[in-house]
Amino acid sequence: MSDHISGPRALANAIADITDVFAFPSPDRANHLVLVMNTLPFAKVSNAFSEGLIYRFRLRPLTANAPGDRAPFSAGPDVGAEEFVFDCVFSPPSTADGQPFEQEGTCTLPSGETVSFRVNDEDGGSGHGVRVFAGARWDPFILDAPAALKTVAIGELAFTDRGSIYMDGKNVLGLVVEIDCSLLGGPTLVGVVAETLTRGTFNVRI
């Protein structure tokens, strides 16, 4: 799923705007699931993750329903049944004269265990069956935005250059969590939701 600047809350809180969500099997580690949440359209390399947000992945194992059912998959009979939550939070960025900022992150697993990592560290952090990376990355949103806006305005397709990528050279802040599927009970199908919430005693979903 990919979307940018969608809705008034995203416009008012660009740092919390989720631009992309991806979930796929790890290409180099069997039985591992990779989760990606990108935020902040047009991010600069100097931008830090917000220390005022919780970056959350929510996962539920799915089962296939019988052919002909209204929904092809089921997440269980009860709301919240078998939900696995991975919460990532960040410290305020620290800077030194003439040096890039440094920022620490912590990912809390469903078990309550934590994995620490440093923003923009290519090796990320790992532990308890989880690996985490966070940092600025090239925006994967492939779209000719001016042509899309013209299409909406005139009511007919206005795309002329298939190779035009308006977001080429733009960045987002990427958060990547790789999970050993045994932490989820080893399901073959998983539903994934990503969200940003305000960090405090009363959490507000952005």
Side-chain angles (χ1 to χ4, degrees):
M1 189 276 288
S2 184
D3 199 3
H4 292 58
I5 316 173
S6 52
R9 285 188 173 179
L11 287 169
N13 300 279
I15 188 68
D17 184 10
I18 299 177
T19 64
D20 312 278
V21 179
F22 303 102
F24 53 90
S26 171
D28 56 6
R29 297 180 54 165
N31 299 316
H32 283 71
L33 178 67
V34 179
L35 309 173
V36 182
M37 180 195 313
N38 292 331
T39 57
L40 188 59
F42 307 104
K44 299 178 181 178
V45 175
S46 58
N47 286 139
F49 288 83
S50 174
E51 69 271 23
L53 292 175
I54 300 170
Y55 297 78
R56 173 172 292 173
F57 290 104
R58 294 165 48 208
L59 292 80
R60 291 188 191 178
L62 303 178
T63 55
N65 292 332
D69 283 0
R70 292 182 61 187
F73 305 108
S74 174
D78 301 319
V79 175
E82 289 192 290
E83 182 166 272
F84 299 90
V85 176
F86 295 80
D87 281 346
C88 294
V89 296
F90 295 86
S91 66
S94 60
T95 58
D97 291 340
Q99 299 296 320
F101 77 90
E102 292 187 357
Q103 188 174 30
E104 303 295 327
T106 302
C107 182
T108 301
L109 315 187
S111 63
E113 297 172 303
T114 60
V115 177
S116 298
F117 55 96
R118 180 170 294 178
V119 173
N120 292 322
D121 180 353
E122 295 294 332
D123 294 329
S126 61
H128 314 296
V130 170
R131 294 197 300 178
V132 187
F133 166 84
R137 280 296 182 265
W138 179 78
D139 192 335
F141 192 27
I142 308 301
L143 174 69
D144 183 346
L149 292 174
K150 185 176 179 181
T151 295
V152 173
I154 66 176
E156 59 183 57
L157 293 177
F159 297 92
T160 58
D161 182 1
R162 294 183 180 179
S164 178
I165 305 174
Y166 180 68
M167 303 302 249
D168 196 20
K170 309 299 190 298
N171 294 315
V172 289
L173 296 182
L175 173 63
V176 183
V177 179
E178 184 187 80
I179 302 165
D180 186 333
C181 289
S182 66
L183 298 177
L184 311 176
T188 56
L189 292 170
V190 178
V192 178
V193 171
E195 59 189 7
T196 51
L197 303 94
T198 56
R199 188 176 174 187
T201 54
F202 180 70
N203 302 125
V204 177
R205 180 178 293 113
I206 303 294

